[in-house]
Amino acid sequence: MNRGLRKNLTSYGDADFSLFLRSAFVKAMGYSDDALERPIVGISNTFSDYNPCHGNVPDLIEAVKRGVMLAGALPMVFPTMSLHESFAYPTAMYLRNLMAMETEELIRCQPMDSVVLIGGCDKTLPAQIMAAASVNIPAIVLPTGPMVVGHYKGEVLGACTDCRRMWSLFRAGQMAEAEVKQVNAKLAPSVGTCMVMGTASTMACITEALGLCLPMGATIPATHSERRRLAEGTGKRAAEMAMAGHPLPSDVLTDRSIQNASVVMQSIGGSTNGLIHLSAIARRVGHPIDLDEFDRAGRSVPVLVDLKPSGEHYMEHFHQAGGVPRLMKELADLLSTDVPTVAGGTLADSIASAENVPGQDVIRPRSKPLKANGALVVLRGNLAPRGSVIKQSAASVELLQHTGSAVVFDSVEQMMQLLDGPDLDVTPTSVLVLRNAGPKGAPGMPEAGYIPIPKKLARLGVKDMVRISDARMSGTAFGTVVLHIAPEAAAGGPLALVRSGDLIRLDVPARRLDLLVSEGELQARAREMGPRIHPDWDASRGYAKLFLDTVLQADEGCDFDFMVKRAADETPG
Ligand code: FES
């Protein structure tokens, strides 16, 4: 079997010469023949000055390398794309699939017997897992870990739930500009990922629930020495996996582990984005998530983790309370615990390692949940024939059943222009509608679904309204916000037919989102509108064209249609 440096030889028509040449070049970096006989562990380097959430990656790489060498293999670091939510225009989601493709091809084309994927900021872990699933060589994930919390005037603060809360206070005129500037310096006190249950934390917990990282990998703070020891342990395991040739992602990513991840996502008050990413991962391995099934399962999974934005605490508190293993102990009867993990055992072994922390109140017992039902609800109706999602655990209870008249914005730009104008015809009971902000419409489905409360209402003390869109929302945000409407307006969805003044009914208990306009009237509007508007952005060439032509809708995970695993596909190797 070809392994180590002999894997994936460059094609010169003479394999021995290819190896000879490769050895000559790698010796230029000072490697000995002994090192070159070892199995190779590739380590993806996603450090970037544009990505503070990955600011600890150089330290983690050193620790991973140490672990790899302690176990007798050769570590080789390679750079990949790095995506940060606040540094990617128009939105990091537009680039997730590009990062997945790039990471996949770099794993595939370079000699490595296993790979350590170091990621953390929202889109990075999904992209890396999608890549690993498609290449299918032994792979282990090392999350960068959450930031530690900040403090301001005795209050504990964190990115980015409190970023939004403080900004809302400023918009409502309840916080002065000088003070909001002071707060700005306290919201992200260290490197690492956002420390609330946003998308990064959700994806890290999902990664651990899937069995793709070592126990406690989701929650150890980014700056703690414990994370470096976890990195060393990850390197050791990666070396063992390189020598053994297993487990493969296809051994770990099964329908049962994906179901486990769904249960954990519901119980942590997970980000709505997590559902899109898990759907994309699931389609890479041929186990698509059925949204109705996901919703049904959510009815029997309580929210147990008391973290912002659904609750009160932050990731380091979740860690101190026992982290994902302790949570899974609480959920064990809802999980398949005999599934394998990259740690070398089963999920049951991870659960058995859970620490019992007396007096902790972050991971609730089943008898005293934070919310009786799961965080995420799937809604259907004549406005969302292929589904939409709301995070009910972070919504206002009194708005979960609401009928109001629509105030429609045709694009993110139009919303920004009109929202705060004194002439906007809006009341606290209106339903704010944003369209053409889906995967094809915006492009990349920006996190614009958290439509700000119009200034004139915010100043009257209005804190929440029903908002609906084909966009996404940051997992750190909160409110009665319906997202991911599929199909999106730009792809012919009925959201395109809504007019300001129409009545819209949201009924979360009944799982419905409906436009109260007759079918005949909707058909007449569709005829009048003709073929749907082509998205108002240049997609005539390059990645933009590939994206527009092939991106799937939100209910299918927004992967490219040619990247998902079809039923008839062989497992790629
Ligand atoms: Fe990177 Fe929040 S911006 S995790």
Side-chain angles (χ1 to χ4, degrees):
M1 182 186 71
N2 281 343
R3 72 170 200 187
L5 215 61
R6 292 177 176 77
K7 267 189 97 170
N8 300 339
L9 287 172
T10 310
S11 176
Y12 292 115
D14 178 346
D16 291 337
F17 176 70
S18 297
L19 185 60
F20 176 75
L21 208 57
R22 180 175 282 179
S23 299
F25 278 116
V26 82
K27 279 175 183 161
M29 291 200 294
Y31 289 95
S32 67
D33 282 327
D34 177 24
L36 298 177
E37 287 303 315
R38 306 285 175 142
I40 294 175
V41 174
I43 304 169
S44 72
N45 181 2
T46 52
F47 177 77
S48 161
D49 283 345
Y50 291 102
N51 195 343
C53 301
H54 292 202
N56 60 343
V57 166
D59 283 350
L60 295 180
I61 286 176
E62 282 314 303
V64 172
K65 285 168 83 171
R66 186 165 66 242
V68 171
M69 288 189 281
L70 283 171
L74 178 68
M76 294 196 79
V77 181
F78 63 100
T80 74
M81 280 178 72
S82 189
L83 297 172
H84 183 276
E85 288 303 296
S86 294
F87 286 89
Y89 173 84
T91 169
M93 185 63 184
Y94 175 59
L95 299 159
R96 182 202 66 180
N97 295 349
L98 184 60
M99 182 174 177
M101 290 179 81
E102 187 227 26
T103 305
E104 174 179 340
E105 294 309 323
L106 288 173
I107 298 171
R108 206 189 286 286
C109 76
Q110 300 176 126
M112 62 188 81
D113 300 291
S114 70
V115 62
V116 178
L117 297 159
I118 306 178
C121 196
D122 297 18
K123 308 303 175 292
T124 57
L125 286 181
Q128 292 172 322
I129 296 171
M130 288 157 73
S134 293
V135 183
N136 206 30
I137 68 164
I140 183 167
V141 176
L142 176 61
T144 56
M147 297 176 205
V148 292
V149 296
H151 299 85
Y152 180 70
K153 291 187 175 172
E155 192 186 349
V156 179
L157 291 182
C160 253
T161 303
D162 296 312
C163 312
R164 293 172 202 288
R165 189 166 59 84
M166 295 296 172
W167 189 248
S168 298
L169 289 176
F170 173 61
R171 274 178 59 82
Q174 293 167 23
M175 183 175 273
E177 191 169 348
E179 188 169 16
V180 86
K181 274 189 180 156
Q182 278 181 337
V183 168
N184 185 265
K186 307 287 185 185
L187 289 162
S190 76
V191 296
T193 50
C194 293
M195 65 294 231
V196 298
M197 192 50 78
T199 305
S201 301
T202 300
M203 290 313 301
C205 293
I206 283 177
T207 301
E208 194 170 334
L210 286 168
L212 283 172
C213 69
L214 296 183
M216 306 301 277
T219 54
I220 303 168
T223 52
H224 284 197
S225 60
E226 199 182 347
R227 182 151 295 276
R228 292 191 192 181
R229 288 194 294 280
L230 181 93
E232 185 183 297
T234 300
K236 272 186 173 172
R237 253 322 274 160
E240 289 163 9
M241 289 162 69
M243 291 168 198
H246 63 80
L248 298 169
S250 57
D251 300 325
V252 178
L253 290 170
T254 61
D255 51 350
R256 293 196 303 148
S257 69
I258 289 164
Q259 175 62 21
N260 287 343
S262 300
V263 169
V264 166
M265 182 159 46
Q266 292 282 22
S267 71
I268 58 179
S271 159
T272 45
N273 286 317
L275 181 54
I276 291 186
H277 299 316
L278 187 62
S279 295
I281 292 165
R283 281 177 183 267
R284 287 285 178 119
V285 289
H287 301 297
I289 291 178
D290 177 322
L291 286 185
D292 294 320
E293 186 67 25
F294 177 84
D295 181 80
R296 257 194 305 281
R299 293 174 193 241
S300 56
V301 182
V303 178
L304 296 181
V305 178
D306 186 358
L307 249 65
K308 290 196 171 191
S310 300
E312 285 305 314
H313 299 287
Y314 296 84
M315 282 297 276
E316 67 183 84
H317 308 131
F318 183 24
H319 179 63
Q320 287 152 9
V324 175
R326 180 65 188 81
L327 169 68
M328 292 195 296
K329 190 172 184 180
E330 217 47 61
L331 297 166
D333 60 308
L334 301 171
L335 301 172
S336 300
T337 56
D338 58 341
V339 295
T341 74
V342 293
T346 64
L347 204 65
D349 298 320
S350 304
I351 293 172
S353 72
E355 189 185 353
N356 261 330
V357 180
Q360 66 83 17
D361 61 353
V362 180
I363 305 169
R364 300 282 189 89
R366 289 281 282 280
S367 57
K368 215 176 134 205
L370 186 68
K371 316 267 175 180
N373 299 121
L376 305 182
V377 164
V378 175
L379 307 168
R380 292 187 189 270
N382 69 354
L383 260 183
R386 281 172 53 181
S388 60
V389 66
I390 183 170
K391 189 173 187 174
Q392 66 169 346
S393 59
S396 302
V397 176
E398 66 278 11
L399 289 175
L400 293 178
Q401 286 177 300
H402 177 84
T403 302
S405 64
V407 176
V408 180
F409 303 104
D410 271 326
S411 65
V412 178
E413 292 70 26
Q414 191 190 66
M415 178 186 83
M416 291 192 298
Q417 277 166 17
L418 301 182
L419 190 74
D420 289 335
D423 300 332
L424 187 71
D425 188 8
V426 66
T427 71
T429 61
S430 300
V431 174
L432 302 178
V433 178
L434 170 65
R435 62 185 168 208
N436 298 313
K440 291 176 189 279
M445 209 180 172
E447 290 186 339
Y450 181 67
I451 304 169
I453 302 297
K455 240 179 198 165
K456 67 181 183 186
L457 296 181
R459 295 209 157 124
L460 295 174
V462 176
K463 294 214 162 24
D464 193 11
M465 295 172 70
V466 174
R467 291 159 267 181
I468 75 168
S469 73
D470 46 15
R472 293 178 302 117
M473 165 175 100
S474 165
T476 63
F478 47 88
T480 312
V481 186
V482 179
L483 304 152
H484 309 179
I485 287 180
E488 63 179 305
L495 193 63
L497 304 176
V498 184
R499 291 180 181 169
S500 286
D502 287 347
L503 284 181
I504 291 176
R505 183 171 59 213
L506 169 68
D507 189 343
V508 175
R511 304 313 198 237
R512 297 288 305 179
L513 179 67
D514 289 295
L515 179 62
L516 303 184
V517 171
S518 72
E519 187 52 38
E521 168 64 16
L522 290 179
Q523 284 174 9
R525 289 184 191 180
R527 278 194 300 277
E528 192 182 316
M529 180 176 285
R532 294 292 145 76
I533 330 122
H534 193 274
D536 188 20
W537 52 284
D538 180 12
S540 57
R541 60 175 295 281
Y543 180 70
K545 180 165 171 48
L546 178 75
F547 190 95
L548 180 67
D549 289 349
T550 66
V551 72
L552 295 170
Q553 291 291 288
D555 58 326
E556 296 178 324
C558 300
D559 200 356
F560 293 147
D561 59 11
F562 58 91
M563 298 302 288
V564 302
K565 186 176 178 187
R566 311 277 170 198
D569 288 350
E570 292 294 320
T571 304

